[in-house]
Every structure is written in C-alpha cells, then in structure tokens.
Amino acid sequence: MDLDGCGLVGRADEIAGLGDFLQEAARTGSAMLLAGEPGIGKTALLNAAAERAAARGMRVVRGSGAEHETALCFSGLHQLVGPLSAELAQLPGPSRCALEVALGFGAGPTPAEITVLHGALSLFAEAARNRPLLLVVDDLHALDRPSRSVISFVARRAVGRRLGVLAAVRSETMGSHDLGLTEVRVPPLHEDDALHLLSKRFAELPRRAASAVVRQAQGNPLALLEFGALAGVSGAPRDAVPGAGPAKEVRALYAARVARLPAGTRELLLLAALESSGDLGVLHAAAGEGGLDAFGAAERDLLIQVSANGRHVDFRHPLVRSAVVEGATLAQRRSAHRRLADVLIDWPERHADHLSMAAAGPDEPVAQLVEQWARQSLRRGDVLGAMDRLRRAAALSPDRAVGDRRLAHAAYIGVSVAGHLELSHRLMRELDGAAATSRSLPVAAARGYLLLMTDGDAATAHRMLVEAISPLAVTGATDLDELMPALYTLLLICHYSGRADLWAPLRDLVAPFPPVSASSPVSMVRILEDVGAVPDELLRDLDGQIARLPEVTDTDVIIRTALTASYLDRLSGCHQPLTQVIRDARDGGTVAGALPSLVMCAMDDLYSGRWDEAQDVATEILALGRETGYDLFSQFGRYVIALLAAHRGDFAACAAHSQELHEWAASRRLGRFTRWADMAQTRAALGSSDFETAYRHATAITAPGQLPPFNIEALWTALDLAEAALRSGRADAAREHAAVMRTCGVARISPRFALMTATMTALTAPPAEMARHFDRALALPGIEQWPFERARTELAYGEQLRRQALKAEARVQLSAARDRFERLGATPWVARAAAELRATGKARASGARVGTALTPQEWEVTELAAAGLATKEIAARLMLSPRTVSAHLYRVFPKLGISSRAALRDALNGRRSGCEQ
C-alpha cells in the first residue's frame, strides 16, 4: 500500500515502511511501534497512516496516553472500545461482561485480567471481521499499565485477524516496555530536508534566519515549525534555552499559545485534558451553561480538532495537552476534577479517582473509596495503579495512623509484588517518625521484607515481625486477611534462615488458626513442618486453586499458590500463570516484580528436564537480582546454576558457585542457602562416583534416618543420602534413611516422592526382593514428569542387576538410563551409565561407539581438558560457550571408552599411538 502524497517532508523511508505495514495489516494482520523524541513527527506519521488506511477501506480506531491518567485502570482501552459499542453488544456473554465491568460500563465481580485480554482481542477481531481494523495509539508510554498489556496482547496475536496495531512511544521510555511490537525509530530530519520543510511553510523567511532555525531545531520537525513561526513574526529566531532541547522549547511555545486563549477556552481545554477520552458528551455535561462553544478559539488556533461526527475532540499534539495541564493552577485543576467526578457518577472507578484529585484536604470517605479501588486494582494485577491509589488514600487520611497504614501497605506491595525497592524505601521514609519504628503490622511487613531481600538480615526482620504479630494473634484483635502480609513475610524469613529457633514462634502463632486455604501462610507453615502429614483435603484444595489459577490476576495470590505447589511437587500446573505474571511485569515496567515468578519457573524447568531454559532463567535471576538490589533472589539463581553445573559435569563451576553461596549465607546465618550449596555439591560428587564426598555433603543437610521439620531440602536429597551411604559402605545408614522415608508418608504426596521412596526401598532391599521393588518404582504413574529422577532409578536398577550378574536385564535399564541422561545433557551420569553398560559386555552401537573418530573441534576440546583446563577456561580459549564445551566432552567420553576426565590423557595417548601405527 502506497502513502505517496501525504505531504511529509524527509520521511520517504518511514512512509514506505508504513505502506508495507498497512498492506500486511489489511491482508493478514500486523503490528508496529514508532519510537522517537517528542516533536520528531511520530504523531504526523500516525495521522498519515490513519488517513491512508481509511482511504483504502480500513476501519480506524484511535486512542492516546495521558501522563496524568497512567494510574486510571483501562482508561486507554476505554478510548479504543468506545467506538465499537455495536460489536461489543455482539460478543458472547462472558467476554462482553468482562469488558463492561473492567471499563465501568457494567456491574459485577472483578474479571480476571486474562479474561479482559481475551475479551478485547475478541472485540477487535469481531470489528475486523467485515473489513480490516487499524488500532492507532499515540503516546503509548503514557497509557495505563493494564491498557498497555491489552495492546501488547492484541499486537502479538494480530496476524490472521486482518488487524493492525500501530503505536508511538517516546524514545526515552524504550526498554521499560517489552510490548512485542516491531520497532521503527523516527530519526531527526536531515539538514536539507529541514530547510525544505521550513521554506515550504515559511517562504518569506530569510535564508540566514532559516539556517539559524534549522540549527536550533536540531532536526525536530515540530520545533522547526514552531521556531519558524516565531522567527517569521519577530524577524529572527528566538535564543536557545540553555540546557534545553527542541521538545522543551516547543512545550514552552505551546504554553504561551494556551495562555493567550480566553479564560473560558482554557477552562474547557483543562476539562478535556483531565477527562482524556475526548468524549464530548461528558465534556458538555461538565462544562455547564457555556457548553462547548468556548472550544472555538482553540480550534481556530489549531490546538485541537473535533471529529467529523461531532462526538469526540483530540489535542493536535500531546505537548498541547501537557501545556494545558501545566498551565493551570492547583485550584483550577481541583475544580475541573470535581466537575468531572460529578458527571462520572455512573463510572465508579473514574468517579473515585477524580474525587481524590479534587480533594483540597483530608477526607476519610474519599480515602476509603480510593483504598477500595486500590484493592480492586491489585486483584486485577495493576500493581502500580494500586500503589498510586494507596498513596493518594494515605494523603487524604485525617487520622495519621490510618494514613501510615495505607502508606506502609503501598510500600509492602512495592517491594514484594512490584519489585520497586527504591520506591518502597522512599515510601517508608515518608512515614511519621513514630510509625516508622512502631510495631504496626503493615510497617513491620514492609520493613521485614526489605531487610530480608536486600540485606539478608533475617534476625532483625524476624524480631520485628514477631513483636508486631504476637499481640494481635493472641488477642484475636485482627483477622487473618489483615495478618496475611506479615505472616507471609515471617514465613519467608524463617524458611530462608533455616533455623529451628526462628521457626518456633511462628509455629506457635499459627497453631490457634483452623484449617485454611492451601496458599495461606498458615497452611505453608504446617506443610513445611511435616510434608507427609498434609491432609488429603488440603491437597484437593491446592489442586483446585492451581486449576483456577489462569483466571487469577492478583500477583500475590499466584506467587503464594505457586510457592505452596513447589513444596508439594505441583509446580508444573502454575507455569502458565507465572509466565503471564512475568510478561505483565515486563510490559508494566516492574521487571524486578517478576523475580519470584522467575524463581518458580526456573524450578519447574529444572524439575521437568528443560535444563537450557532453567539455565537461561537462572542467569537472568542472578543478573536481575544484582541490578535491582534483590540480593536474596540472585542467590537462588546461583543455586540453580550450581545444580545444573553439577548435573552437566562442569564441576569447577559448581564448586565456585557453591562456595559463593556458602560465603554469602554464612555471614547472615541463612541456613537454607548453605543447604542449597551442599545439594549441588552432593549431586556433583554422585555424578563423578565420589560417594564419600557425596555422603559428607548430604549429611550436612540432614543426618541419616532423620527428616527434620522445616527442612524441605532434607526431603529433596533423601535419595542422594541413601545412595551415597550405600555406595560408601554405610548400608545401615542407607536402610535407616529408606525406612524413615517409608514411614513419613510423603509417597502419597507426589509421583517424585513416591519414586524416591520406592527407589530407596529397592536399593536397600534384600537381593531377592530388589527387582520387585524397582519394577514397582518404574511402574508408578506420573514419573515421566521427573526425567532426571526416573533416569537415576533406571541407573540404580541396572547397577544392582549387573552386580547380581543379570547382564541382559541390566542392559535394558542401563540403556534407558543412558539415553535419558543424554537427552537431558547430564554428562557425568551418561558416563556412569555407559561404564556400567561396558561392564555388562555391551559396546554401544551408535555414532559415538568406542573408536569413532573425533572431530577437529572435539580434538581441541579434549586436548585442553586432558591438560587440566576447566570447562570455562576451555570455552574462553576456543571462544565457545561452556555449554558447548560440555556437549563436546559428553560426546567424546563414549568415543574414547572412558567415563571421567581423569582418563582423558591416557585415552588420547592411546588414540594418537593408534593413529601413528
């Protein structure tokens, strides 16, 4: 589709790109994002594309962001849905109701955000059914977060629906919104194009003056035209403002033009700027007796434009809107908000927001209304909107203690859900001096979470929360919902500390509560105290919550449900909702808020055998935790990296990361992190058949025959300890540990726990009963979800069969284990299985059989490894990734007929001798 004749100077490349975009959008669907500084011409390009799209038969619906409305939920979506009322009426009931409730058109329970997203997509697809639809969104960066999520969601699914999404964003905001749109940077005009544009519009301008204007405008078209107009009036260009760019100067020029308008016009423009949707019906009702006649002066000055149907008004440039708002006094803005609140009484959310901004002083009824909508925002997943509303509610609170509670709640949301450490610190500093050090529940929750995540100071955070919770829990002065944030924070503190002395007060605090939701911190405490004693009713409740999780938008609920699921091996059912939380956090510019979800996804990828994905996510967690100040989360990333290194045979990397974990945790007395380091080192030692070292690390987590309360790692490493004990000559310790696993009741909790219990039973059973127990273990339903654990059972079975001289039967299990380990990339475990297979007399019939020639790169890698270089050192020397080096080595071992690096030198010497002969 061609855009010739649109009248834009110096934009041939951009126009050609938009032409291709519109053609693709009309044919199948497409999305594009224009990025550039204010005044660079993004709006002009949007206008040109919209005009040509309409001329070619596409339906065009427009919207724009407004900086003062970023906290208003779905205000941007409201603009896009308004013109599609006929299509909205045709949607199926659930989708229509979700949109109507979200936009304030109807009443009902708060819809899940995913329902709103799909409802919006269905609406736009319906609108594009008869002719292609183009959605045009200016100032996307100033759109409210939920509306940005809708735009992102729809843009990624435009193909196949004849739907186009064209948006513009300021370049300085890029990087904070990962919207999944193709980006086109709009550059400054070339000097020749700038002069051409200037001479075209201001032919009478002297050449010297025109050249000065071009230098001052720096290729910014809006600045060029505004400065040109000023130079034409004054005879010379205005002096540049020191330290200010063209966009700032243009803003000043717009402010001057607005200031020259009649008072009635400025008043009406202010209403339009604060109302933001441009609905002339709303503005007419708010304008009072004068009606909309006062818009005339602004129209004649080309500051606004009214739609052809007379129902909608737009500012010709976002900077005009900003100039109108900035040029009004506080009293004028409050008056305008009051008038808008009065006419928006049927839109309760918008009514509440305008009321809050109209208030001249403390007003508890309005504060309560705003707090109510803050909670609604949180349930919808609009974290930043919830924080903003809580801050406004705090400012409106006559009672300082109530205001501090609201402010502390905002700080808690900021640090625990949104990932905004600095903002949370700032909110805590805003608290009254007495409140900041008080035993207030919200203050303790916020401060405790900050201390744990940033400094790892579990002891101070624990003392503060116990002092705040104990009086209320004992007297029953507050309900569980009010206690929830503080209890959850205290649970995390106890969990990461790994200290029995810190768990005792929390166990006493939750003891009086009756059975509650599986995702409640009360239930989590009881689960961690004794996983095997978890009642069936709680398991059913958790399974039901996980099934409903895709419809939940409250991030806090999703994280708590996933955390409970991780204790009971049900994390895979939470992956999709967690992924949505991560996407929302990135779309909304709260990327650190994605850390808890990233942690859960890394765990699920690790357990499910998606090790490359787990490595990538863990690396992101480590880097993001460092960048944002969430040091505790970064250590979890380090743990996953260490464990994967152990599984893959990069023992040097495993040791280095484990050592860093130990050192970081030791000074903070955070025992769980030291257990994680021991877990990784246990697996590394088992993979290399160093069973004595494996036993030493496994028993650092728990003693044989013991599964202490509040030590989930003892359960996760139970098979490790039993195998290490058995293979290091401690058969009694292995039998003791297997017995405690059988009696503790965890086998009914999940397939993994059942498989571990059955494998430990088989390993320690009398020889005559061994095969029967292994067969039962491998017949358990659901174990395919745990490929590493299943392969370990097959390996153990094959090893035991070989020791009983049942070579043919052993080969079946050993081959299955080797193949499964190979698919995972568990190099040392492949070597263990291959060595056992060779001991049965079977040589592998494949491209990797002993004697197969090494490739040139395999020779290079192998020679360096034989010389004693670590995997990372080899990678650096050959400019490869450590993962590639590990992959080469795992293919080389069976070719050379060896199972460890220690045998490399002799194997290579033998290979060279054979080649020379």
Side-chain angles (χ1 to χ4, degrees):
M1 188 176 292
D2 191 71
L3 282 180
D4 286 345
C6 65
L8 297 182
V9 175
R11 295 302 186 199
D13 292 342
E14 289 79 7
I15 289 170
L18 285 171
D20 294 340
F21 160 74
L22 289 175
Q23 186 174 5
E24 188 69 16
R27 187 172 64 86
T28 61
S30 189
M32 179 182 285
L33 182 67
L34 302 179
E37 66 177 14
I40 204 66
K42 302 185 299 297
T43 302
L45 288 167
L46 293 182
N47 291 340
E51 289 172 10
R52 186 50 57 94
R56 294 301 180 93
M58 294 183 75
R59 186 176 183 182
V60 180
V61 176
R62 304 193 64 159
S64 65
E67 293 176 355
H68 59 277
E69 286 205 342
T70 53
L72 301 185
C73 241
F74 294 116
S75 60
L77 181 60
H78 192 282
Q79 301 173 54
L80 301 176
V81 172
L84 304 177
S85 56
E87 288 78 7
L88 180 61
Q90 295 171 14
L91 288 183
S95 295
R96 186 184 67 253
C97 289
L99 282 174
E100 288 177 343
V101 172
L103 297 173
F105 296 156
T110 301
E113 185 172 19
I114 192 66
T115 307
V116 177
L117 294 175
H118 281 289
L121 180 62
S122 299
L123 173 65
F124 298 138
E126 174 65 24
R129 191 158 55 90
N130 295 324
R131 59 173 173 150
L133 174 68
L134 178 65
L135 301 177
V136 180
V137 183
D138 205 353
D139 275 358
L140 182 64
H141 57 276
L143 220 58
D144 60 283
R145 190 210 63 81
S147 294
R148 282 201 309 271
S149 294
V150 171
I151 299 300
S152 176
F153 185 84
V154 172
R156 289 195 292 264
R157 293 160 180 81
V159 175
R161 293 181 167 87
R162 297 198 308 163
L163 174 62
V165 178
L166 179 61
V169 65
R170 290 184 186 173
S171 54
E172 66 264 25
T173 68
M174 294 308 299
S176 60
H177 311 304
D178 179 16
L179 298 167
L181 280 70
T182 301
E183 293 178 21
V184 174
R185 296 279 175 165
V186 183
L189 290 177
H190 188 273
E191 183 176 343
D192 291 342
D193 291 324
L195 279 169
H196 177 60
L197 175 59
L198 202 59
S199 62
K200 183 178 176 182
R201 292 291 293 272
F202 306 102
E204 74 289 350
L205 199 63
R207 179 74 179 185
R208 179 180 296 180
S211 297
V213 167
V214 168
R215 286 195 302 273
Q216 188 177 347
Q218 301 173 30
N220 186 296
L222 185 61
L224 196 71
L225 296 177
E226 293 296 329
F227 295 169
L230 188 62
V233 172
S234 64
R238 58 177 274 167
D239 293 333
V241 178
K248 293 184 179 180
E249 296 192 44
V250 172
R251 186 191 295 261
L253 290 179
Y254 276 136
R257 287 171 62 183
V258 169
R260 289 195 296 267
L261 293 172
T265 302
R266 295 199 305 272
E267 185 178 306
L268 196 53
L269 286 176
L270 182 59
L271 285 171
L274 297 179
E275 191 275 337
S276 82
S277 73
D279 187 330
L280 286 174
V282 173
L283 294 175
H284 186 274
E289 295 181 5
L292 303 178
D293 293 342
F295 269 145
E299 281 189 274
R300 288 188 293 272
D301 200 17
L302 301 180
L303 294 173
I304 61 170
Q305 58 185 358
V306 178
S307 62
N309 61 14
R311 296 178 181 175
H312 191 269
V313 64
D314 278 317
F315 288 93
R316 285 191 176 270
H317 196 278
L319 291 179
V320 179
R321 185 198 302 269
S322 299
V324 168
V325 175
E326 291 170 6
T329 66
L330 178 59
Q332 288 169 333
R333 293 196 299 272
R334 282 175 175 162
S335 174
H337 280 303
R338 170 63 68 179
R339 291 160 70 179
L340 289 169
D342 291 342
V343 300
L344 291 171
I345 193 72
D346 293 331
W347 288 269
E349 186 171 7
R350 298 177 72 196
H351 169 74
D353 282 316
H354 283 294
L355 269 184
S356 70
M357 290 182 278
D363 189 324
E364 183 58 25
V366 175
Q368 290 178 8
L369 193 60
V370 174
E371 183 177 18
Q372 172 190 328
W373 282 105
R375 296 181 187 280
Q376 289 285 80
S377 296
L378 197 58
R379 280 193 286 271
R380 284 192 300 231
D382 182 12
V383 179
L384 295 182
M387 291 179 66
D388 185 77
R389 282 176 166 148
L390 282 169
R391 293 177 74 183
R392 274 189 275 145
L396 290 168
S397 305
D399 186 329
R400 184 59 187 266
V402 175
D404 286 339
R405 174 184 61 77
R406 289 164 175 158
L407 204 58
H409 189 196
Y412 177 78
I413 294 170
V415 68
S416 66
V417 183
H420 273 304
L421 278 181
E422 184 53 42
L423 178 57
S424 294
H425 277 301
R426 190 163 67 246
L427 292 176
M428 294 300 289
R429 288 194 294 268
E430 290 177 16
L431 290 173
D432 176 79
T437 57
S438 71
R439 295 181 180 180
S440 159
L441 213 54
V443 172
R447 287 190 66 206
Y449 202 99
L450 282 166
L451 283 169
L452 177 66
M453 292 298 163
T454 58
D455 301 329
D457 188 353
T460 302
H462 182 273
R463 182 175 62 255
M464 181 190 314
L465 278 155
V466 170
E467 290 176 353
I469 297 171
S470 296
L472 299 172
V474 171
T475 61
T478 188
D479 60 21
L480 185 55
D481 286 342
E482 290 295 322
L483 282 172
M484 187 80 73
L487 279 176
Y488 180 63
T489 304
L490 185 55
L491 165 78
L492 294 179
I493 291 164
C494 294
H495 198 15
Y496 287 119
S497 75
R499 292 165 51 185
D501 60 314
L502 297 191
W503 275 108
L506 178 56
R507 181 173 50 194
D508 294 341
L509 286 171
V510 303
F513 289 102
V516 291
S517 165
S519 59
S520 163
V522 172
S523 295
M524 289 189 217
V525 172
R526 292 167 180 166
I527 290 168
L528 288 169
E529 184 172 14
D530 189 349
V531 174
V534 172
D536 291 337
E537 310 87 77
L538 189 143
L539 292 174
R540 286 193 292 270
D541 177 47
L542 178 60
D543 290 337
Q545 288 188 43
I546 293 171
R548 296 187 296 272
L549 212 53
E551 298 300 314
V552 175
T553 54
D554 187 330
T555 302
D556 201 31
V557 172
I558 294 172
I559 297 301
R560 284 192 282 107
T561 304
L563 184 58
T564 306
S566 73
Y567 301 148
L568 299 173
D569 280 355
R570 283 158 167 77
L571 198 49
S572 60
C574 306
H575 201 98
Q576 185 272 327
L578 290 168
T579 302
Q580 182 63 43
V581 169
I582 295 167
R583 187 180 299 119
D584 287 346
R586 288 171 173 157
D587 287 351
T590 58
V591 64
L595 277 167
S597 296
L598 286 167
V599 164
M600 300 298 168
C601 285
M603 290 177 68
D604 184 44
D605 288 335
L606 178 68
Y607 296 154
S608 301
R610 298 185 295 270
W611 287 0
D612 286 348
E613 290 87 341
Q615 180 81 31
D616 291 342
V617 176
T619 301
E620 181 179 2
I621 292 168
L622 181 59
L624 188 58
R626 287 169 170 168
E627 291 168 8
T628 58
Y630 282 85
D631 289 346
L632 186 137
F633 280 132
S634 68
Q635 301 309 316
F636 179 87
R638 188 180 302 285
Y639 152 65
V640 174
I641 292 170
L643 193 58
L644 284 169
H647 288 171
R648 287 171 156 162
D650 191 348
F651 300 135
C654 175
H657 284 291
S658 297
Q659 181 63 28
E660 289 196 49
L661 270 175
H662 266 295
E663 290 175 356
W664 187 86
S667 62
R668 295 165 175 83
R669 297 188 65 197
L670 295 176
R672 192 178 190 207
F673 293 92
T674 60
R675 293 201 293 259
W676 286 352
D678 282 313
M679 279 180 63
Q681 291 175 293
T682 299
R683 292 285 171 83
L686 287 172
S688 59
S689 299
D690 183 356
F691 299 107
E692 190 65 38
T693 299
Y695 184 78
R696 176 164 53 82
H697 285 295
T699 52
I701 297 170
T702 186
Q706 295 182 24
L707 293 174
F710 307 114
N711 185 346
I712 194 75
E713 288 76 24
L715 190 56
W716 292 348
T717 57
L719 176 58
D720 297 339
L721 195 156
E723 182 183 9
L726 188 67
R727 298 293 296 273
S728 64
R730 299 175 175 88
D732 288 345
R735 283 190 288 270
E736 186 181 5
H737 214 53
V740 77
M741 278 291 283
R742 286 193 298 273
T743 58
C744 75
V746 296
R748 68 184 178 84
I749 299 297
S750 76
R752 177 172 68 145
F753 291 155
L755 179 62
M756 289 169 59
T757 303
T759 302
M760 292 167 68
T761 299
L763 278 170
T764 56
E769 299 177 18
M770 174 271 297
R772 176 170 58 88
H773 286 298
F774 270 118
D775 288 336
R776 284 182 178 176
L778 291 172
L780 288 167
I783 61 173
E784 64 279 356
Q785 300 173 33
W786 309 90
F788 184 70
E789 285 75 10
R790 180 175 180 175
R792 287 188 64 184
T793 298
E794 290 165 338
L795 174 61
Y797 192 3
E799 288 173 335
Q800 295 298 97
L801 287 169
R802 185 186 69 77
R803 284 165 178 72
Q804 293 185 20
L806 298 171
K807 295 184 178 181
E809 294 87 341
R811 288 173 192 145
V812 174
Q813 301 302 328
L814 293 170
S815 295
R818 179 199 60 201
D819 293 347
R820 209 176 300 280
F821 284 135
E822 280 187 345
R823 288 194 292 272
L824 288 168
T827 304
W829 297 81
V830 171
R832 273 187 61 179
E836 289 288 336
L837 272 169
R838 286 193 298 275
T840 68
K842 179 180 179 180
R844 184 171 187 176
S846 73
R849 64 183 179 273
V850 176
T852 301
L854 303 186
T855 68
Q857 190 159 80
E858 286 173 349
W859 268 110
E860 284 188 287
V861 169
T862 306
E863 286 177 330
L864 292 173
L869 271 69
T871 298
K872 283 187 176 179
E873 294 171 323
I874 298 171
R877 180 81 61 88
L878 300 180
M879 291 185 291
L880 301 172
S881 72
R883 192 180 305 169
T884 300
V885 172
S886 296
H888 280 312
L889 288 173
Y890 119 76
R891 286 192 293 269
V892 163
F893 279 24
K895 289 182 180 182
L896 296 178
I898 61 174
S899 60
S900 70
R901 285 196 181 203
L904 273 176
R905 187 186 300 274
D906 291 340
L908 280 182
N909 289 336
R911 178 64 65 94
R912 290 192 187 98
S913 299
C915 291
E916 291 168 0
Q917 293 172 5

